[in-house]
Amino acid sequence: MKPNLSQKLLSLLLLLAMLTAALPAALGADGTNLYITGYTLTNAAGSSVGAINKGDTVNITVSIKDTSSPSTDVGTLDVTKLEDSFTGGSASVARTSEEGKPLVYAVTLTGLQYKGSGQSLRLQVGLPGSPDSYQTLELTITEAVVFDPSQIPPPPTP
C-alpha cells in the first residue's frame, strides 16, 4: 500500500510542527543562557572589602558564564547597570575563559556608590541589534550593610 499525497503532506506538516516547537529550546532561546558564577568586591585601592556602608564607593567584578555562544566577542556585548542598590560607576568587560571553552567573562563595575538600601546589583547583558539576546541578571551583594536610621545616636543634649 502506497501512501497518497495527502498522507505525505500531513506527515511533513506534523514533522515541521514538531521541529518548530523544539527549535527554540535547542538553540537556547529560552532566555537562560547567562549565569552569574561569582563576584569580587574591592575598594579604589584594589583591596578586598568586608562591608559596604551607605555612601561607600566600591568596585564589583561579576563573573558571568554564557552557555550558548562560546565564540562571542565580549567587546561586542552591551552591558548596562540597571536601577538597584548602587549608583554611578562605569562598566568594562573582559573574557576570562580560554578560546574554545565555554564563554566566561568578567564585568567590572568601577566607582559604584552604595545607596544604603537593599543589597541588589542588576545588570542587563545582550548583543546590540539582537533584542532577543538581552537578559537581566541580579545578584545579592551580601557585604552591603542596609542603612538603619534608628541606629544613628541622638545628638548630645546641651
Side-chain angles (χ1 to χ4, degrees):
M1 173 187 235
K2 292 184 179 180
N4 64 26
L5 183 60
S6 62
Q7 286 177 326
K8 287 181 181 180
L9 186 58
L10 183 60
S11 296
L12 180 61
L13 287 174
L14 182 60
L15 179 63
L16 286 174
M18 289 175 15
L19 285 173
T20 303
L23 193 58
L27 294 176
D30 61 354
T32 58
N33 60 324
L34 299 181
Y35 299 94
I36 295 173
T37 60
Y39 71 92
T40 57
L41 188 62
T42 59
N43 59 19
S47 301
S48 293
V49 175
I52 311 169
N53 294 301
K54 182 178 179 178
D56 287 353
T57 300
V58 295
N59 304 322
I60 301 174
T61 301
V62 181
S63 180
I64 299 173
K65 182 175 185 177
D66 184 342
T67 60
S68 71
S69 183
S71 61
T72 299
D73 174 13
V74 296
T76 64
L77 288 173
D78 177 23
V79 178
T80 304
K81 190 188 103 29
L82 302 174
E83 182 66 31
D84 54 26
S85 301
F86 298 86
T87 60
S90 61
S92 63
V93 183
R95 184 181 184 120
T96 57
S97 61
E98 297 176 20
E99 286 294 326
K101 300 284 184 183
L103 178 60
V104 179
Y105 52 93
V107 175
T108 301
L109 302 154
T110 56
L112 295 176
Q113 186 174 28
Y114 180 51
K115 294 178 184 177
S117 62
Q119 295 180 309
S120 67
L121 178 67
R122 298 179 65 223
L123 301 173
Q124 186 176 51
V125 180
L127 294 169
S130 181
D132 292 343
S133 70
Y134 283 83
Q135 289 183 48
T136 300
L137 303 171
E138 184 169 355
L139 69 148
T140 300
I141 306 298
T142 58
E143 294 85 354
V145 179
V146 177
F147 177 70
D148 182 2
S150 67
Q151 298 288 334
I152 299 175
T157 55

